[in-house]
């Protein structure tokens, strides 16, 4: 299928885990291991690489880019937690949220923890990272990933985020929320299209249910009293789960506005939400993805009902 061809041709992205190492050390190690480093990419075409060549990404400086299907699962750097195998688009949420060291953060739907470990790296492993997930099995995979990554500033909870009390004293200093809720996954080019028309009704109902859940999570995330910024992301290409959810949320929460993201990024949110980013294989050489960053208006206090 077209999707399969696209998936097989996406670059292999490797995020250097700066909790454990530096980009420089990782690059040196990979060079000694037989890879040839071409420096930092400057345009999309530079991300199309032949065997053994690699570059640094042009948008995300801790991201190294290799030819499609380069396998690192048995590589020392992967086993030692020095690198994380993570698509470029999925590195955007933590990078854009950009919490300072020492911050208190919530990762609302966190397992298996790629974005949590990225947040920890950005915070220099200092602060408090509350991570929730409903699924115990995924949460245990996450504990393993965080252990391998050397992350220690986290607190995992097997809990429904919608039942987390924003007014609990333990969250009183939470200023940042990352919300990456369950979605249709329609942006993942390795997933099969659910195309048969008999299923159309089901697909519609599922999308509506997901969008409803996503909006509830988003509204809930904005309730933390000290919140400054919240990043919302999905690996869906459906506007119903993306711009639709964000627009509805902004209407219900007039104290928040969208932050205009990365002016050099080629693919924007659908009109009128062009402050948001989209990603896809053709324009960004990644899976399909959506990111929005909401911030509290300066001076906008929390409305008391
Ligand atoms: N952020 C993760 C990462 O980067 O590795 C991926 C998160 S995945 C898209 C969505 C997660 O949300 C799933 O692990 C799912 O179990 C979890 N989830 C679904 N409903 C939830 C809820 N009500 N509260 C907390 N987690 C939930």
């Amino acid at each position: 299928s077209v999707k399969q061809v696209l998936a097989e041709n996406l670059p292999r992205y490797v995020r250097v885990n700066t909790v454990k190492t530096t980009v420089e050390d990782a690059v040196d190690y990979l060079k000694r291991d037989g890879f040839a480093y071409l420096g930092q990419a400057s345009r999309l075409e530079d991300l199309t690489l032949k065997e053994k060549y690699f570059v640094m990404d042009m948008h995300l400086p801790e991201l190294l880019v290799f030819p499609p299907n380069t396998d690192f699962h048995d590589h020392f750097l992967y086993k030692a937690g020095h690198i994380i195998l993570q698509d470029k688009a999925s590195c955007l949420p933590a990078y854009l949220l950009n919490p300072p060291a020492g911050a208190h953060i919530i990762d609302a739907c966190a397992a298996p923890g790629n974005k949590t470990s990225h947040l920890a790296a950005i915070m220099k492993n200092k602060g408090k990272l509350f991570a929730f997930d409903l699924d115990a099995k995924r949460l245990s995979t996450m504990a393993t990933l965080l252990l391998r990554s050397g992350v220690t500033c986290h607190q995992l909870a097997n809990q429904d985020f919608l039942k987390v009390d924003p007014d609990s004293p333990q969250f009183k200093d939470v200023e940042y929320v990352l919300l990456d809720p369950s979605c249709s996954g329609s942006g993942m080019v390795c997933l099969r299209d659910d195309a048969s028309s008999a299923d159309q009704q089901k697909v519609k109902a599922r999308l509506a249910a997901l969008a409803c859940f996503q909006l509830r999570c988003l509204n809930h995330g904005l309730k933390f009293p000290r919140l400054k910024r919240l990043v919302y992301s999905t690996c869906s290409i459906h506007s119903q789960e993306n711009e639709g959810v964000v627009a509805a949320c902004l209407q219900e929460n007039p104290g928040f506005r969208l932050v205009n993201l990365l002016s050099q990024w080629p693919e924007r949110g659908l009109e009128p939400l062009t402050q948001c980013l989209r990603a896809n294989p053709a324009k960004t050489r990644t899976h399909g993805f959506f990111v929005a960053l909401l911030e509290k208006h300066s001076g906008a206090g929390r409305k008391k009902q």
Side-chain angles (χ1 to χ4, degrees):
S1 75
V2 178
K3 267 196 163 187
Q4 231 155 8
V5 173
L6 284 170
E8 280 163 17
N9 286 302
L10 282 182
R12 158 52 70 196
Y13 293 100
V14 162
R15 182 169 61 76
V16 177
N17 175 21
T18 57
V19 172
K20 284 207 156 174
T21 185
T22 62
V23 174
E24 207 188 352
D25 283 356
V27 167
D28 281 347
Y29 191 98
L30 289 158
K31 287 201 303 205
R32 284 199 304 275
D33 200 37
F35 289 98
Y37 185 52
L38 298 173
Q40 187 166 23
S42 54
R43 21 172 224 139
L44 195 63
E45 293 70 42
D46 296 344
L47 305 186
T48 302
L49 294 152
K50 292 226 178 67
E51 220 173 316
K52 289 288 168 188
Y53 286 100
F54 73 113
V55 295
M56 183 189 289
D57 185 62
M58 62 280 207
H59 298 106
L60 296 148
E62 278 146 23
L63 200 65
L64 304 175
V65 191
F66 292 80
N69 301 316
T70 310
D71 190 3
F72 283 102
H73 286 95
D74 290 323
H75 198 274
F76 165 77
L77 291 182
Y78 175 70
K79 288 184 167 166
H82 288 207
I83 59 173
I84 314 271
L85 307 178
Q86 190 175 356
D87 183 52
K88 174 173 174 174
S90 95
C91 295
L92 287 169
Y95 172 75
L96 295 168
L97 190 61
N98 195 22
H104 286 204
I105 308 205
I106 284 178
D107 190 343
C109 299
N114 286 315
K115 296 179 189 76
T116 318
S117 90
H118 193 190
L119 286 170
I122 293 168
M123 295 157 66
K124 302 189 165 39
N125 209 6
K126 292 191 181 94
K128 262 205 187 135
L129 190 31
F130 301 97
F132 302 99
D133 205 281
L134 255 187
D135 186 324
K137 208 167 153 223
R138 285 170 67 94
L139 212 59
S140 85
T141 306
M142 173 162 179
T144 308
L145 183 145
L146 293 180
L147 185 67
R148 190 171 65 221
S149 318
V151 173
T152 52
C153 64
H154 62 289
Q155 191 175 307
L156 299 189
N158 187 192
Q159 209 178 322
D160 180 348
F161 173 63
L162 292 170
K163 295 194 177 132
V164 172
D165 176 11
D167 290 316
S168 160
Q170 60 173 323
F171 306 128
K172 70 177 175 25
D173 295 320
V174 168
E175 293 180 321
Y176 302 87
V177 170
L178 186 146
L179 174 62
D180 184 42
S182 299
C183 73
S184 62
S186 56
M188 302 298 294
V189 289
C190 32
L191 292 186
R192 240 168 39 85
D193 280 315
D194 20 25
S196 92
S197 61
D199 287 343
Q200 283 308 308
Q201 226 30 48
K202 264 194 204 158
V203 172
K204 257 189 163 170
R206 178 161 174 257
L207 273 184
L210 282 167
C212 173
F213 163 71
Q214 291 151 352
L215 179 57
R216 285 179 66 207
C217 286
L218 189 48
N219 284 334
H220 194 69
L222 296 184
K223 286 185 185 141
F224 291 80
R226 294 275 306 275
L227 185 76
K228 285 184 174 161
R229 291 178 144 214
L230 177 150
V231 74
Y232 173 76
S233 59
T234 73
C235 57
S236 164
I237 55 172
H238 292 111
S239 58
Q240 202 177 345
E241 298 176 89
N242 298 330
E243 292 87 351
V245 167
V246 172
C249 171
L250 286 170
Q251 211 153 42
E252 294 174 34
N253 296 275
F256 286 84
R257 67 177 161 220
L258 286 173
V259 178
N260 197 21
L261 299 173
L262 296 182
S263 56
Q264 67 276 30
W265 190 263
E267 193 72 342
R268 316 301 308 183
L270 301 181
E271 296 275 358
L273 302 194
T274 55
Q275 300 96 328
C276 308
L277 303 182
R278 276 182 170 251
N280 63 51
K283 292 282 182 59
T284 57
R285 310 283 292 132
T286 65
H287 290 279
F289 206 79
F290 174 83
V291 197
L293 182 62
L294 284 77
E295 79 177 356
K296 198 177 264 177
H297 282 292
S298 49
R302 188 182 177 205
K303 253 204 223 145
K304 286 267 175 215
Q305 271 98 15

